[in-house]
Amino acid sequence: MSEDMLLHFSSNSSNQSDQSLPTKMAKLEARMTGKPSSAPPPQQQQQPVLPPQQQQQQQQQQQPAWQSVSSAVTAKFGGGIDGLAASLSSSDSDDDDNGGEFLILANTQKRQKLKEDDDSNVFERVEAMGDGRQMVVENVESKANSDLNRKKQGRGRGHSVSGRGRGSRANDQTKSQISSSTCSPSNGQLENSYHKQDGKPKEQFWSENRSPLEEEVASLQAKVAALEEELRKSHQEATDYQNLCRQLEKELKDLKDHEQQMKPKRIKIISDLLISVSKAERQEARMKVRQDSLRLGNVGVIRAGTVISETWEEGQVLKDLNTHLRHLLEAKEAIERQRKSLKKRQSDKGDTVDTETGIQEEDFLIQDEIYKSRIASIKREEEVIIRERDRYELEKGRLIREMKRIRDEDGSRFNNFQILNHRYALLNLLGKGGFSEVYKAYDLVEHRYVACKLHGLNAQWSEEKKQSYIRHAIREYNIHKTLVHHHIVRLWDIFEIDQNTFCTILEYCSGKDLDAVLKATPVLPEREARIIIVQIFQGLVYLNKRTQKIIHYDLKPGNVLFDELGVAKVTDFGLSKIVEEDVGSQGMELTSQGAGTYWYLPPECFELSKTPLISSKVDVWSAGILFYQMLFGRRPFGHDQTQERILREDTIIKARKVEFPSRPAVSNEAKELIRRCLTYNQADRPDVLAIAQDPYLTYSKK
Ligand SMILES: Nc1ncnc2c1ncn2[C@@H]1O[C@H](COP(=O)(O)OP(=O)(O)OP(=O)(O)O)[C@@H](O)[C@H]1O
């Protein structure tokens, strides 16, 4: 394009020299830019060379829409017709990086060329055109600016790029129309000038002498038109988007309304399904209990006068086993009797042959050997039967617990599948503690199973006792709710049900608790026991690394639960203590002496002469007892004693040294850990963080 223009200028400049040419050029440029005609000579107009970064920035700002012309103009000369003139000359060069200096130079050369051109008519025409085109360029600039603003607003939308493409295509398409439509000069001066000069019809003149500059201007106008079209389309698009947006908003609202309407229905369907499953489970549980009762036994009623009491009646399997054992015992006793009489006869006869029976000495020996062998065989049989009976006894224990659970469930006022707090669908009873019932439940909001612990205040309690219980439960909740650890049961929620009942929502642990595990299999392999105690210690370490340290104080098998993957979790913070920051190294005062389960509490908790000081070392002792029990099937101190007897006989106060049975075989490392945990003197016993470093617990080699 600029080459054309250069040609145009050159062709019109027949080598005549005219001294006024530079002045005219300056005038022309001044008019086109709207500057005063006393424009400085070309070398003074030289713009400062912008650093490449600034140039690029400028280019980026000016880039869209009228890129082909304006980018060159504005980027290199800051816009205006000065820039246009410069671009005419600069575009001779393909190298955009030459910068303003080179372009100004080129411009100067061109002017030099023009200097030699003496055809003043041409300049008049150009001048006239310049006047007219200045308006067009201004128009282009203002359109381009508005386009630029629009692009800025809609930046990032892909269609701005394609818009540019469309613009240049439109440019090509409209080029042919331009001369007749957009280039039809409104500027009478321009029209007259052409008319006067050539004396030809206007259309002919336009078609024959259409200058490249005019074509350029026409092309720009076409671009402007294309941009305007694009703008119009964008407006249309924006309106369409707004409409679409409104439509989507409405659809969303409808969906939400629908969702709101469907919610109760969905909840109803889910809870109905859960109820059907739970009912089936209840039925199955009761059927199993009935079947097992036949084998293992049942609760019978004994009436003694007016007193009715319950008693356990053995089931058929246990009856048969006992009968079998009795028969074996009888057989054993009969053989023993025979043996005795044989021995007697042997001693009576001395060395002679038994005259009555004719039995020789050797015969006595053989007969005795037969009896001995038979007795040994009966004993072996007895052992098998006893093992079998023990297994059935364990089954019987599980059956009795299940019977109790079913009885508690049947007697519970929450057994009718209520939905608590509008979100917890109560299912089946998991178990009943001292003051609470724990139900499996389904959280209809979070869509997960939870354990609902229903704390019932006894209506017969005094108001003071009720208040104390509530205070206690709130304290437990406040401690427990802040605990978030893999080996601590989560506490999710708490709410009141009625004046005498409130509920805590706990993470549901679908596995058994450790108490149930140990009742089913009293001795665990060391490997299994070890990983359980490791997890318990990890939970305890968490409790002791918090800013507000916590002593659990009630670690026992019933307070260790397992989830469906067998992960052990510590629960029940009902007796736990917050260790105040200012507590001394000896520990804090034990204010609830007498609470807890005595088999698992350390000697300092039984101190009567002064208020005991306790620390996390209480939990270390309890964990040691737990580990011992898992390995040996019994507790090390007072295993067969009742709580009351432990207290009466000072069993734990006397528990100075732990003894290990010879069987089952247990590693020395395990025994050493137990010894450390059960260190009698509290001051010498390691605390939770210290014992947690034991290589046995960290699985590291010593
Ligand atoms: N989060 C839980 N997930 C699954 N089962 C649980 C959960 N919490 C408690 N249970 C079960 O519910 C039953 C009753 O628990 P609860 O804590 O009330 O009894 P407890 O510890 O025997 O009594 P107490 O706390 O009064 O000494 C137990 O069998 C226990 O295993």
Side-chain angles (χ1 to χ4, degrees), residues 429-439 450-453 489-490 506-513 554 556 558-562 571-572 597:
L429 182 77
L430 292 168
K432 193 172 170 170
F435 306 104
S436 57
E437 289 177 357
V438 180
Y439 269 83
V450 292
C452 267
K453 191 164 181 171
V489 171
R490 282 298 303 273
L506 298 152
E507 174 185 358
Y508 174 61
C509 297
S510 63
K512 294 178 190 160
D513 58 49
D554 198 15
K556 58 180 183 180
N559 287 338
V560 178
L561 307 180
F562 295 96
T571 190
D572 200 345
T597 313

Side-chain angles (χ1 to χ4, degrees), residues 22 35 37 130 243 248-249 376 405 497 555 583 681:
K35 285 180 194 163
S37 60
N243 289 341
L248 284 173
E249 271 169 10
R405 189 196 66 79
I497 293 173
L555 270 184
V583 82
N681 191 344

Side-chain angles (χ1 to χ4, degrees), residues 27-233:
K27 237 171 138 187
L28 169 64
E29 286 178 359
R31 261 194 230 167
M32 291 174 96
T33 55
K35 285 180 194 163
S37 60
S38 58
Q43 57 269 42
Q44 284 174 351
Q45 290 179 11
Q46 191 169 332
Q47 300 287 323
V49 180
L50 291 173
Q53 224 179 348
Q54 247 174 291
Q55 284 185 28
Q56 202 183 346
Q57 218 176 331
Q58 259 182 334
Q59 272 174 352
Q60 276 169 1
Q61 284 169 0
Q62 303 286 344
Q63 197 73 342
W66 47 311
Q67 195 181 21
S68 60
V69 173
S70 304
S71 66
V73 172
T74 52
K76 291 175 180 172
F77 301 99
I81 206 70
D82 268 356
L84 180 62
S87 99
L88 294 177
S89 47
S90 72
S91 57
D92 285 348
S93 162
D94 288 338
D95 188 1
D96 282 349
D97 293 328
N98 283 340
E101 205 170 357
F102 171 81
L103 295 168
I104 295 294
L105 252 173
N107 201 17
T108 317
Q109 283 165 4
K110 196 179 283 178
R111 285 182 188 155
Q112 207 59 43
K113 240 175 160 187
L114 289 168
K115 230 181 205 179
E116 294 157 16
D117 195 341
D118 63 352
D119 188 350
S120 61
N121 287 337
V122 171
F123 291 108
E124 276 169 25
R125 268 161 47 193
V126 171
E127 208 175 65
M129 280 175 66
D131 282 346
R133 292 320 122 199
Q134 185 181 350
M135 284 167 66
V136 174
V137 170
E138 276 169 9
N139 203 15
V140 168
E141 274 185 350
S142 73
K143 291 283 182 203
N145 282 341
S146 76
D147 182 54
L148 188 64
N149 287 339
R150 186 178 63 76
K151 295 272 164 146
K152 271 183 191 164
Q153 281 164 15
R155 189 165 298 170
R157 280 199 292 158
H159 90 151
S160 68
V161 175
S162 63
R164 250 179 271 152
R166 276 207 300 275
S168 56
R169 267 202 307 281
N171 182 17
D172 296 341
Q173 285 168 1
T174 48
K175 253 187 180 167
S176 60
Q177 305 162 6
I178 291 162
S179 57
S180 58
S181 59
T182 54
C183 265
S184 180
S186 58
N187 186 331
Q189 221 182 334
L190 180 70
E191 194 179 337
N192 292 340
S193 155
Y194 278 98
H195 227 15
K196 212 168 24 178
Q197 297 272 334
D198 300 332
K200 288 180 184 172
K202 195 164 60 177
E203 291 74 17
Q204 197 184 346
F205 175 82
W206 273 105
S207 59
E208 285 174 10
N209 295 298
R210 199 185 305 135
S211 76
L213 181 60
E214 284 167 335
E215 282 189 3
E216 181 62 25
V217 168
S219 144
L220 287 175
Q221 281 181 323
K223 278 183 188 168
V224 168
L227 285 172
E228 276 173 348
E229 177 59 14
E230 207 183 311
L231 185 66
R232 195 192 57 72
K233 277 184 190 159

Side-chain angles (χ1 to χ4, degrees), residues 436-495:
S436 57
E437 289 177 357
V438 180
Y439 269 83
K440 180 177 176 179
Y442 188 79
D443 182 347
L444 295 162
V445 173
E446 291 289 337
H447 294 287
R448 64 184 170 203
Y449 284 106
V450 292
C452 267
K453 191 164 181 171
L454 298 148
H455 306 252
L457 310 185
N458 192 326
Q460 258 86 68
W461 287 352
S462 67
E463 206 45 45
E464 195 189 341
K465 190 168 178 185
K466 282 183 191 169
Q467 287 311 316
S468 146
Y469 185 85
I470 290 171
R471 253 199 328 275
H472 184 262
I474 290 173
R475 204 186 127 274
E476 174 185 356
Y477 168 73
N478 284 332
I479 294 176
H480 197 166
K481 74 174 179 193
T482 61
L483 307 177
V484 183
H485 190 264
H486 195 46
H487 296 299
I488 307 273
V489 171
R490 282 298 303 273
L491 175 66
W492 305 114
D493 199 1
I494 185 168
F495 54 91

